[in-house]
Amino acid sequence: SLSASESFPMSQLFVKVDEVGAEALGRLLVVYPWTQRFFEHFGDLSSADAVLGNAKVKAHGKKVLDSFSNGVQHLDDLKGTFAELSELHCDKLHVDPENFRLLGNVLVIVLARHFGKEFTPELQAEFQKVVAGVASALAHRYH
Amino acid sequence: MLSAQERAHIAQVWDLIAGHEASFGAELLLRLFTVYPSTKVYFRHLGDQPDEVQLLSHGQRMLQAVGVAVQYMDNLHAVLSPLADLHAQVLRVDPTNFPLVIQCFQVVLASHLQGEYTVEMQAAWDKFLTGVAVVLTEKYR
């Protein structure tokens, strides 16, 4: 399980970088274009520039990251914390949970981009564990 | 199939790695072993705690192979055939491990290139490395 010390650097890094969520979601939609299937109502996603500049993508990316950051405050009970969101993603949004894993991985890459050398293997390991935990929690209520 | 722009992005990033295969490769392996410890089962010949010399040596070999793949990215089947045989007959690395290597590769690129690591580069390299992995596991059965 994830310990309190593992949440310390993570919440710090989230606070340091604005727009990490928007960048992560944007990169997800470009690197894995099939993920756009959930965002057809977002408007112009026709090019990398269009995706990264899209206001709805940015807004949604921020929303996702805020939720993520909240989850990070509750590493001892991710399944409980994300229970409602899990049901929402299953029942209303119909999102394949594989997308949570993909987004988590892209988020890690975005953090690496921002923090460079500071993003040590140990830090990467902590973040990967957290994103995997969140992805798993979001999939937990699927039925 | 890689588009002309994708090929350009792949080559452009490789130019930044070329000459530094050992250090990039060592970092790739260190991240792989730290983030995904189960992958160490495939590297027992490096010992329990692979030292820097071993990581540099093996990392260099892996990155040099990537460099060959970049050079012949239009003909991966032919150029990676010996490595595909090796992976199928000797190494037999479970295919689920290749995405883990690719994730660590992306993190190495992103952490080194930072502001220069555009989404187009990330997309091209993800597609390219996934293609390499497909070829390396193609002869498994």
Side-chain angles (χ1 to χ4, degrees):
Chain A
S1 72
L2 302 165
S3 67
S5 69
E6 285 173 322
S7 73
F8 175 71
M10 185 152 207
S11 51
Q12 291 241 303
L13 289 192
F14 277 162
V15 162
K16 266 170 110 175
V17 187
D18 224 2
E19 308 207 320
V20 160
E23 188 184 334
L25 183 61
R27 282 185 180 246
L28 177 80
L29 295 174
V30 173
V31 177
Y32 308 107
W34 56 90
T35 59
Q36 292 175 21
R37 72 191 300 286
F38 303 107
F39 301 101
E40 274 158 0
H41 53 295
F42 272 25
D44 187 9
L45 300 177
S46 60
S47 70
D49 284 342
V51 170
L52 293 175
N54 185 303
K56 286 186 173 175
V57 170
K58 288 187 189 178
H60 193 73
K62 181 176 189 317
K63 195 164 144 187
V64 167
L65 196 77
D66 286 344
S67 166
F68 206 93
S69 306
N70 173 55
V72 166
Q73 309 299 327
H74 303 95
L75 287 177
D76 53 337
D77 183 26
L78 287 175
K79 290 186 164 65
T81 305
F82 287 100
E84 264 186 59
L85 274 175
S86 179
E87 286 175 8
L88 177 78
H89 281 76
C90 172
D91 299 331
K92 297 269 166 12
L93 305 177
H94 311 289
V95 177
D96 181 342
E98 178 59 22
N99 291 281
F100 309 143
R101 292 181 264 281
L102 282 179
L103 180 59
N105 276 343
V106 173
L107 182 57
V108 168
I109 293 166
V110 168
L111 290 172
R113 208 173 79 79
H114 282 276
F115 293 103
K117 284 197 193 53
E118 264 181 63
F119 203 65
T120 61
E122 290 74 17
L123 202 50
Q124 181 190 349
E126 289 184 28
F127 274 92
Q128 298 274 187
K129 265 205 262 180
V130 176
V131 300
V134 172
S136 172
L138 280 171
H140 192 67
R141 290 290 181 109
Y142 273 59
H143 59 97
Chain B
M1 290 261 48
L2 295 165
S3 70
Q5 291 107 311
E6 284 166 341
R7 287 196 196 106
H9 290 307
I10 292 164
Q12 196 184 353
V13 169
W14 183 255
D15 275 345
L16 300 166
I17 301 176
H20 308 284
E21 288 89 342
S23 62
F24 270 87
E27 187 185 331
L28 172 66
L29 286 173
L30 184 59
R31 284 186 185 277
L32 187 66
F33 297 156
T34 305
V35 180
Y36 307 107
S38 61
T39 58
K40 289 190 285 184
V41 305
Y42 295 106
F43 294 89
R44 294 184 62 209
H45 56 289
L46 297 183
D48 269 342
Q49 309 266 38
D51 64 29
E52 208 184 329
V53 171
Q54 288 168 304
L55 291 179
L56 284 165
S57 163
H58 199 87
Q60 182 178 39
R61 230 176 324 144
M62 283 176 71
L63 270 271
Q64 281 173 341
V66 172
V68 171
V70 169
Q71 201 185 346
Y72 297 98
M73 62 177 112
D74 294 327
N75 200 359
L76 290 181
H77 289 274
V79 88
L80 293 178
S81 182
L83 274 176
D85 288 335
L86 183 71
H87 281 76
Q89 291 155 26
V90 181
L91 303 178
R92 292 172 290 183
V93 173
D94 192 284
T96 55
N97 289 281
F98 290 89
L100 306 182
V101 175
I102 294 172
Q103 174 67 6
C104 290
F105 206 112
Q106 289 279 9
V107 169
V108 171
L109 291 178
S111 65
H112 282 263
L113 274 59
Q114 290 198 265
E116 288 176 43
Y117 200 51
T118 64
V119 63
E120 288 88 348
M121 290 172 177
Q122 181 183 345
W125 270 84
D126 202 276
K127 192 170 164 181
F128 170 63
L129 289 174
T130 301
V132 169
V134 164
V135 171
L136 289 180
T137 56
E138 215 162 46
K139 302 184 192 183
Y140 272 30
R141 53 178 167 174

